[in-house]
Amino acid sequence: MTGGLRDAALDEAISSLVAEAGITAQRGLIRRIIASGIGLGQDGASRLNLKITAAAVEEMRAAFRLFAPYSGIPKATIFGSARTEVGDPLWHAAEAAARGLAERGWTVVTGAGPGIMEAAATGAGRERSLGVSIRLPFEERPNAIVEDDDRRVAMKYFFTRKLMLVKESSGFICLPGGFGTMDETFELLTLQQTGKMEPVPIVLLDRPGGSYWSGFARFVTEELAGSGLIAVDDLDRVLVTDSAEAAVAEVTGFWRNYDSLRWFDEELVLRLRAAPTEAELAELNERFSGMCLRGRIERAEPRPAELAERDRPELPRLALIPRQRAIGELHRLIRALALLPSAP
């Protein structure tokens, strides 16, 4: 928008439109969305750019509506090749992992296609499966488990699909695959490394005795970390295994005690399900002293912003000032909190 009286009139018109639509919650954000659309028109955006924007917003709305009824249910996304055939050891691994998650009350999210995606949906069962499919001119069709519209949403763009496959889940299991699987795996690792995503368990699950992910880990360690392109502990957040049972235990166990985190400037506050004892806190400080830029890991009370926003004020808290790029240690700390005798 260009400013002055014209802006004021447009703002008033947008506000009136929002009110007439009966929208009462989050009006400021709705106004921003509408204003951005009008701004694209004022900018003279090309037809292609407008089509991309319109399709992305429409697809995200459809995906948000798909996931909304399941907001209180933990979800894990399983990635893998669309070309894996029924009966392959990787098929059985994906099916077993998904079944184990479903038996523990989790819903499994997949790309809704064949191969590993169908294996995971089969293991979880229809009532525990959700799919985010991609419209392609060849190769991928929705599998029968999530082909109904109330269990699946179809996307035109890979970037909106990846957003929804990642945004809604609290754990990830990646099985061997091609370019798409590698893209999704690197996306997860990038989001974790840069702190653009809260800590989550990531499992790289291979066939029994397989070398796909061990070879990947070797490349990351020797070439990326060895060349100083990433930190040496950046892969510490990931479990490489050929056991479906271990994969399920990693995903579910990660959340045994850890609930969430929040930053307050340089201070990191971890919300837990159970407070550690004094002896446990002392042991944590001894083990993770190198994680702190200064000070110690301390008990904490809810911060004023958390109280004002009712952001989990009932949970016990630990606070620390971590050194930069300590993401690998943060994952180890969360796993250590899960193993405390005081953990639920």
Side-chain angles (χ1 to χ4, degrees):
M1 303 218 181
T2 56
L5 295 176
R6 185 184 178 195
D7 271 6
L10 283 173
D11 289 344
E12 184 176 349
I14 291 171
S15 295
S16 297
L17 178 63
V18 171
E20 289 175 12
I23 297 169
T24 58
Q26 307 295 343
R27 287 186 173 187
L29 292 173
I30 299 297
R31 287 196 294 267
R32 284 177 57 187
I33 294 170
I34 296 172
S36 293
I38 293 173
L40 284 168
Q42 292 176 326
D43 294 342
S46 70
R47 177 174 177 80
L48 176 59
N49 289 347
L50 292 173
K51 287 178 67 176
I52 292 172
T53 304
V57 173
E58 290 163 359
E59 289 183 354
M60 286 190 289
R61 182 193 178 199
F64 294 155
R65 293 176 70 181
L66 172 70
F67 282 101
Y70 312 100
S71 60
I73 299 172
K75 291 174 281 294
T77 296
I78 295 182
F79 293 117
S81 175
R83 304 185 185 191
T84 303
E85 297 182 356
V86 178
D88 188 289
L90 290 173
W91 174 288
H92 293 309
E95 185 179 23
R99 183 182 301 111
L101 288 167
E103 290 172 349
R104 290 161 177 78
W106 286 60
T107 287
V108 172
V109 182
T110 73
I116 292 300
M117 295 170 278
E118 185 171 4
T122 301
R126 185 182 183 282
E127 296 305 314
R128 287 286 178 180
S129 297
L130 293 172
V132 185
S133 65
I134 187 76
R135 294 192 290 271
L136 294 176
F138 55 87
E139 188 170 295
E140 191 166 306
R141 300 184 308 277
N143 64 66
I145 307 299
V146 292
E147 65 181 353
D148 297 339
D149 287 343
D150 63 335
R151 311 299 301 185
R152 177 182 66 90
V153 62
M155 315 292 261
K156 178 179 181 181
Y157 297 117
F158 275 109
F159 75 90
T160 51
R161 186 200 196 199
K162 282 199 299 182
L163 170 65
M164 298 313 304
L165 286 170
V166 170
K167 173 185 175 294
E168 298 291 334
S169 289
S170 301
F172 299 87
I173 300 177
C174 305
L175 288 96
F179 292 143
T181 300
M182 296 305 294
D183 177 49
E184 290 153 349
T185 301
F186 273 112
E187 175 97 355
L188 289 174
L189 297 177
T190 300
L191 291 171
Q192 290 286 284
Q193 182 199 52
T194 57
K196 297 297 288 184
M197 179 184 186
E198 288 199 10
V200 291
I202 300 172
V203 179
L204 307 183
L205 176 60
D206 211 334
R207 67 178 73 244
S211 60
Y212 184 97
W213 290 122
S214 60
F216 171 83
R218 185 168 57 253
F219 168 78
V220 170
T221 302
E222 295 178 0
E223 298 296 334
L224 301 184
S227 301
L229 302 175
I230 64 171
V232 293
D233 63 352
D234 273 348
L235 208 60
D236 286 359
R237 70 182 66 87
V238 175
L239 173 66
V240 178
T241 183
D242 61 5
S243 165
E245 293 78 11
V248 172
E250 172 71 6
V251 170
T252 58
F254 188 89
W255 300 98
R256 179 184 174 192
N257 198 4
Y258 169 69
D259 177 85
S260 54
L261 61 76
R262 185 162 174 176
W263 287 93
F264 296 91
D265 295 325
E266 61 180 354
E267 181 186 55
L268 175 63
V269 174
L270 301 176
R271 281 84 71 100
L272 310 179
R273 303 184 191 280
T277 66
E278 289 298 330
E280 290 170 341
L281 183 58
E283 181 183 354
L284 289 172
N285 271 293
E286 182 176 349
R287 288 181 59 188
F288 295 98
S289 59
M291 181 179 175
C292 297
L293 179 64
R294 59 180 181 273
R296 294 167 49 84
I297 303 173
E298 305 280 1
R299 299 183 188 278
E301 295 297 322
R303 300 306 188 239
E306 293 176 298
L307 293 172
E309 298 167 18
R310 299 180 181 178
D311 186 8
R312 314 294 278 167
E314 74 282 1
L315 293 178
R317 285 159 162 74
L318 295 178
L320 65 151
I321 300 175
R323 60 178 177 81
Q324 191 177 21
R325 298 176 180 172
I327 186 67
E329 288 179 278
L330 176 57
H331 278 248
R332 288 198 295 272
L333 173 59
I334 290 172
R335 292 189 183 96
L337 291 167
L339 297 176
L340 295 177
S342 62

